[in-house]
Amino acid sequence: MTVQTFVPSISRATEIASSQPDLARTDVPVKRLYIETQGCQMNEYDSSRMADLLGDSHGYVLTSDPGEADVLLMNTCSIREKAQEKVFSELGRWRKFKEANPNVIIGVGGCVASQEGEVIQKRASYVDMVFGPQTLHRLPQLLDQHQENKAAPKSQKISLIDISFPDIEKFDFLPEPKVEGYKAFVSIMEGCSKYCSFCVVPYTRGEEVSRPLDDVLAEIVSLTEQGVREVTLLGQNVNGYRGETFDGDICNFAQLLRLVSEIPGIGRIRYTTSHPLEFSDDLIAAYADLPQLVSHLHLPVQSGSNAVLAAMKRNHTIDVYIDKIARLRQVRPDMHLSSDFIIGFPGEGDTEFAETLQFIKDLDFDHSYSFIYSKRPGTPASELPDDTPEDVKKVRLSQVKDVIKRSSIDKTNAMLGQTVRVLIEKPSDRHHDMLIGSADNTRLVQFVGDSRWIGRFAEIKITQIRSMNLVEGELLNLEALSS
Ligand code: SAM
């Protein structure tokens, strides 16, 4: 099946985007909403959708000051134990807001909510509602129910814990996204069915479910109508996307990328976070054809040792990963690669760690999210014996970070004299005559320019390296304004 089969989806998506109902209620006074977001980009996306939703349903306006909020929501992460513990320490701080004003409403959502459920209210009785990543669209009902509960006798109060996994219905109940700026996240699938032995995601976010193709395209069309030029497609296993089309076919991730690249206004496409097993030949071919697809790939591998990968139940070897990256670099020699590494996984001895370090040097990573293994309750790996001392793990982690940081600095330095494509995003805070934008490889680029150019792409020749993440250059070419 070729991508042409799905092209009518783009015009259908345009129609859907322009026919979204306006759910805004004008009969309610402004109230303040504070959302604290922990964890991944999917949580960031979910938080922005919660704000859109409660803005439309109850007129809530976001505040950055928890002290003035009427509703405080914590969107939590349970990927590592440290993140999980942060929830209760932060809730302890929120308690005083409720003591000062008993009408303040406190809600806990996200993966810790999914995992802990009613335990949250047992540990923090002042929490009013608990909702999961798949039930955040029910927040307006939970808030209304909370009001009704206040007036009801104890025996008639309804539980405000909703951490079920309804089959991806949440997107049907969320309003059109509102964005400021030129970049936006778009969640295209939820959950993960890979069941890596260390990971809680299948238990907290559920199994993989893809959003229907037309819904994804409609959301992107609507974002471009608000000025967005760069989208980051999100999913815990994003390249495993298999979205149903209008007439019941299945569109895979590479086909989706081709369709997104045809949406007028889209100048850049990123995605995160992907899995090596789903990194298909079709996807490599998309890199050959689609200039909007950035030369920057985040492809988690977790370890450079086959023995550790097997214990992690990754179902691939390092050779599989190396082969895919080699083929990708044939079509995109300038590809910048980033990854996730888990250090100190049970069974990682000196030999396995040395293999990981060598692998990192060979693949020449530009960036990584590397953390010491954290035992997660209920995961198969939590049963594995782990006899590596914590301080050995810490030394290993800093070695990994050092190697990757050095390679990242080299890559920034290599930009000197090169011409890069930049999305111009804002005026520089420090230099009144300069603008700031981002390059494909995520480096910030500053250059002298006119603020009317913001939101356009430009070709910039790099003339100075300011720091590991900031370079400076001169304008060579400015994208023409579309009519
Ligand atoms: N698609 C990704 C993959 O291929 O693994 C999954 C992304 S996962 C939700 C986010 C990252 O969190 C993982 O890549 C892993 O490095 C890290 N992570 C997950 N569980 C962990 C654990 N128990 N301890 C430390 N890091 C963990």
Coordinates of all heavy atoms in Angstrom, one line a residue, residues 28-59:
V28 N -19.0 31.5 33.5 CA -18.3 31.1 34.8 C -17.2 32.1 35.1 O -16.5 32.5 34.2 CB -17.8 29.7 34.7 CG1 -18.9 28.6 34.9 CG2 -17.1 29.4 33.4
P29 N -17.0 32.4 36.4 CA -15.9 33.3 36.7 C -14.5 32.6 36.6 O -14.4 31.4 36.6 CB -16.2 33.6 38.2 CG -17.0 32.5 38.7 CD -17.7 31.9 37.6
V30 N -13.5 33.5 36.4 CA -12.1 32.9 36.2 C -11.6 32.3 37.4 O -11.7 32.9 38.5 CB -11.2 34.1 35.7 CG1 -9.8 33.6 35.7 CG2 -11.6 34.5 34.3
K31 N -11.1 31.1 37.3 CA -10.5 30.5 38.5 C -9.1 30.1 38.0 O -8.8 29.9 36.9 CB -11.3 29.3 38.9 CG -12.6 29.7 39.6 CD -13.2 28.5 40.2 CE -14.4 29.0 41.1 NZ -14.8 27.9 42.0
R32 N -8.2 29.9 39.0 CA -6.8 29.6 38.7 C -6.4 28.2 38.8 O -6.8 27.5 39.8 CB -5.9 30.4 39.6 CG -6.2 31.9 39.7 CD -5.3 32.7 38.9 NE -5.9 34.0 38.7 CZ -5.9 34.8 37.6 NH1 -5.4 34.3 36.5 NH2 -6.5 35.9 37.6
L33 N -5.7 27.7 37.8 CA -5.2 26.3 37.8 C -3.7 26.2 37.8 O -3.1 26.9 37.0 CB -5.8 25.7 36.5 CG -5.2 24.3 36.1 CD1 -5.7 23.2 37.1 CD2 -5.7 24.0 34.7
Y34 N -3.1 25.4 38.7 CA -1.7 25.2 38.7 C -1.4 23.8 38.3 O -2.0 22.9 38.9 CB -1.1 25.6 40.0 CG 0.4 25.3 40.1 CD1 1.3 26.3 39.6 CD2 0.9 24.2 40.7 CE1 2.7 26.0 39.7 CE2 2.2 23.9 40.8 CZ 3.1 24.9 40.3 OH 4.5 24.6 40.4
I35 N -0.5 23.5 37.4 CA -0.2 22.1 37.0 C 1.3 21.9 37.2 O 2.1 22.7 36.6 CB -0.6 21.8 35.6 CG1 -2.1 22.1 35.4 CG2 -0.3 20.3 35.3 CD1 -2.6 21.7 34.0
E36 N 1.7 21.0 38.0 CA 3.1 20.6 38.0 C 3.3 19.4 37.2 O 2.6 18.3 37.4 CB 3.5 20.4 39.5 CG 5.0 19.9 39.5 CD 5.6 19.8 40.8 OE1 5.4 20.7 41.6 OE2 6.3 18.8 41.0
T37 N 4.3 19.4 36.3 CA 4.5 18.3 35.4 C 5.8 17.7 35.7 O 6.9 18.3 35.7 CB 4.5 18.8 33.9 OG1 3.3 19.5 33.7 CG2 4.6 17.6 32.9
Q38 N 5.8 16.4 35.9 CA 7.1 15.6 36.1 C 7.2 14.7 35.0 O 6.2 14.2 34.4 CB 7.0 14.9 37.5 CG 6.8 15.8 38.6 CD 6.4 15.2 39.9 OE1 6.1 14.0 39.9 NE2 6.3 15.9 41.0
G39 N 8.5 14.3 34.7 CA 8.7 13.2 33.7 C 8.8 13.6 32.3 O 9.3 14.7 32.0
C40 N 8.3 12.8 31.4 CA 8.6 12.8 30.0 C 7.7 13.9 29.2 O 6.8 14.5 29.7 CB 8.3 11.5 29.4 SG 6.6 10.9 29.5
Q41 N 8.0 13.9 27.9 CA 7.3 14.9 27.0 C 5.8 14.5 26.9 O 5.0 15.3 26.7 CB 7.9 14.9 25.6 CG 9.2 15.5 25.5 CD 10.3 14.5 25.6 OE1 10.2 13.4 26.1 NE2 11.5 14.9 25.0
M42 N 5.5 13.2 27.1 CA 4.1 12.8 27.0 C 3.4 13.4 28.2 O 2.2 13.8 28.0 CB 4.0 11.3 27.0 CG 4.6 10.7 25.8 SD 3.8 9.2 25.3 CE 2.2 9.6 24.9
N43 N 4.0 13.5 29.3 CA 3.3 14.2 30.4 C 3.2 15.7 30.2 O 2.2 16.3 30.5 CB 4.1 14.0 31.7 CG 3.7 12.7 32.5 OD1 2.9 11.9 31.9 ND2 4.1 12.5 33.7
E44 N 4.2 16.3 29.5 CA 4.1 17.7 29.2 C 2.9 17.9 28.3 O 2.1 18.9 28.4 CB 5.3 18.2 28.4 CG 6.4 18.7 29.3 CD 7.6 19.2 28.5 OE1 7.4 20.0 27.6 OE2 8.7 18.7 28.7
Y45 N 2.8 17.0 27.3 CA 1.6 17.1 26.4 C 0.3 17.0 27.1 O -0.6 17.8 27.0 CB 1.8 16.0 25.3 CG 0.6 15.9 24.3 CD1 0.5 16.8 23.2 CD2 -0.4 15.0 24.6 CE1 -0.6 16.7 22.4 CE2 -1.5 14.9 23.7 CZ -1.6 15.8 22.6 OH -2.7 15.7 21.8
D46 N 0.3 15.9 28.0 CA -1.0 15.7 28.7 C -1.3 16.9 29.6 O -2.5 17.3 29.7 CB -0.8 14.4 29.6 CG -1.0 13.1 28.8 OD1 -1.4 13.2 27.7 OD2 -0.7 12.1 29.4
S47 N -0.3 17.5 30.2 CA -0.6 18.7 31.1 C -1.2 19.8 30.2 O -2.1 20.5 30.7 CB 0.7 19.1 31.8 OG 1.1 18.2 32.7
S48 N -0.6 20.0 29.0 CA -1.2 21.1 28.3 C -2.6 20.8 27.8 O -3.4 21.7 27.8 CB -0.3 21.5 27.1 OG -0.3 20.4 26.2
R49 N -2.9 19.6 27.6 CA -4.3 19.2 27.2 C -5.2 19.4 28.4 O -6.4 19.7 28.3 CB -4.4 17.8 26.7 CG -3.4 17.5 25.5 CD -3.4 18.5 24.4 NE -4.6 19.1 24.0 CZ -5.5 18.5 23.1 NH1 -5.1 17.4 22.5 NH2 -6.6 19.1 22.8
M50 N -4.7 19.1 29.6 CA -5.6 19.3 30.8 C -5.9 20.8 31.0 O -7.0 21.1 31.3 CB -4.8 18.9 32.1 CG -4.6 17.4 32.3 SD -3.8 17.2 33.9 CE -2.6 15.9 33.5
A51 N -4.9 21.6 30.7 CA -5.1 23.0 30.8 C -6.2 23.5 29.8 O -7.1 24.2 30.1 CB -3.8 23.8 30.6
D52 N -6.0 23.0 28.5 CA -7.0 23.3 27.5 C -8.4 22.9 27.9 O -9.4 23.6 27.8 CB -6.7 22.6 26.2 CG -5.4 23.0 25.5 OD1 -4.9 24.1 25.8 OD2 -4.9 22.3 24.6
L53 N -8.5 21.7 28.4 CA -9.8 21.1 28.8 C -10.5 21.8 29.9 O -11.6 22.2 29.8 CB -9.5 19.6 29.2 CG -10.7 18.8 29.7 CD1 -11.6 18.5 28.5 CD2 -10.2 17.4 30.2
L54 N -9.7 22.1 31.0 CA -10.4 22.8 32.1 C -10.6 24.3 31.8 O -11.5 24.9 32.4 CB -9.5 22.6 33.4 CG -9.5 21.1 33.9 CD1 -8.6 21.0 35.1 CD2 -10.9 20.6 34.2
G55 N -9.8 24.8 30.9 CA -10.1 26.2 30.5 C -11.4 26.2 29.8 O -12.3 27.1 30.0
D56 N -11.7 25.2 28.9 CA -12.9 25.2 28.1 C -14.1 24.8 29.0 O -15.2 25.4 28.9 CB -12.8 24.2 27.0 CG -12.3 24.8 25.7 OD1 -11.9 26.0 25.8 OD2 -12.3 24.2 24.7
S57 N -13.9 23.8 29.9 CA -15.1 23.3 30.6 C -15.5 24.2 31.8 O -16.6 24.3 32.1 CB -14.8 21.9 31.1 OG -13.8 21.9 32.1
H58 N -14.5 24.7 32.5 CA -14.8 25.4 33.8 C -14.2 26.8 33.8 O -14.2 27.5 34.9 CB -14.2 24.6 35.0 CG -15.0 23.4 35.3 ND1 -15.1 22.3 34.5 CD2 -15.8 23.2 36.4 CE1 -15.9 21.4 35.1 NE2 -16.4 21.9 36.2
G59 N -13.5 27.3 32.7 CA -13.0 28.6 32.7 C -11.7 28.8 33.5 O -11.3 29.9 33.8

